[in-house]
């Protein structure tokens, strides 16, 4: 797995992305504990720092201001040692990430997870379709060098545990490109 060539950074930056319900926050939280990397949940950052352009009643979420989010994260990303947890990836600068992890979940498992969260109607069906058509994997492959993009199954706790172990090993072996 490749490293980006940032001069200042002493620890890697990882993007964990995927359709809502694929286990981004569960995986990122566990990975942060095992690696001591900083876990940044973008949706929480947007809310806390007011990095949005209002509320979308139809999608029941904030309309994030991508420029403000990138401005807010710039110094932290240059420093390194971050896990960014977000369901999109195409607006983050390519230079920020050493690894891009796209979590994928079986549609039946995903349907159950999202239903338990209260997703209904078009919000539920749009997210299931996004997963069926692998929209986020395609977005990651179009936005970042293919050698840093990895798709991981995230259906069960065993798979999540394996993913965290694998990513922890990768972080341990990472070294800044010189």
């Amino acid at each position: 797995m490749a490293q980006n060539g940032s001069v200042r950074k002493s620890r890697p930056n990882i993007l964990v992305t995927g359709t809502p319900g694929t286990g981004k926050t569960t995986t990122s939280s566990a990975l942060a504990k095992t690696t001591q990397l900083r876990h940044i949940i973008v949706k929480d950052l947007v809310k806390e720092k007011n990095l949005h352009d209002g509320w979308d009643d139809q999608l029941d979420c904030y309309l994030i201001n991508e420029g403000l989010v990138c401005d807010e994260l710039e110094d932290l990303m240059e420093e390194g040692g971050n896990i960014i947890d977000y369901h999109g990836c195409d607006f983050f600068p390519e230079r920020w990430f050493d690894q891009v992890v796209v979590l994928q979940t079986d549609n039946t498992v995903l349907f159950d997870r999202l239903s338990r969260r209260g997703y209904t109607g078009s919000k539920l069906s749009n997210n299931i379709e996004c997963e069926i058509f692998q929209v986020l994997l395609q977005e990651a492959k179009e936005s970042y060098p293919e050698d840093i993009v990895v798709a991981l199954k995230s259906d069960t706790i065993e798979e999540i545990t394996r993913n965290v172990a694998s990513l922890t090993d990768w972080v341990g072996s990472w070294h800044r490109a010189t």
Side-chain angles (χ1 to χ4, degrees), residues 52-140:
H52 59 82
D53 296 323
W55 183 259
D56 185 322
D57 288 326
Q58 186 175 8
L59 294 176
D60 194 31
C61 65
Y62 286 106
L63 299 168
I64 78 163
N65 183 312
E66 295 171 352
L68 291 177
V69 170
C70 288
D71 290 346
E72 182 69 27
L73 291 173
E74 183 69 40
D75 289 341
L76 289 174
M77 298 307 289
E78 283 296 317
E79 185 180 303
N82 302 291
I83 301 167
I84 302 297
D85 169 345
Y86 191 60
H87 64 265
C89 67
D90 62 346
F91 69 92
F92 296 117
E94 177 184 324
R95 64 186 159 71
W96 278 4
F97 298 107
D98 303 289
Q99 184 76 306
V100 176
V101 177
V102 182
L103 296 178
Q104 298 181 306
T105 303
D106 177 85
N107 298 324
T108 305
V109 173
L110 185 60
F111 181 90
D112 292 344
R113 288 179 185 173
L114 294 177
S115 295
R116 283 192 303 271
R117 287 185 182 183
Y119 284 41
T120 60
S122 63
K123 188 170 184 174
L124 177 60
S125 61
N126 288 347
N127 281 295
I128 297 295
E129 288 175 14
C130 184
E131 189 68 6
I132 289 170
F133 294 113
Q134 299 187 352
V135 171
L136 289 165
L137 179 59
Q138 189 62 35
E139 184 178 293

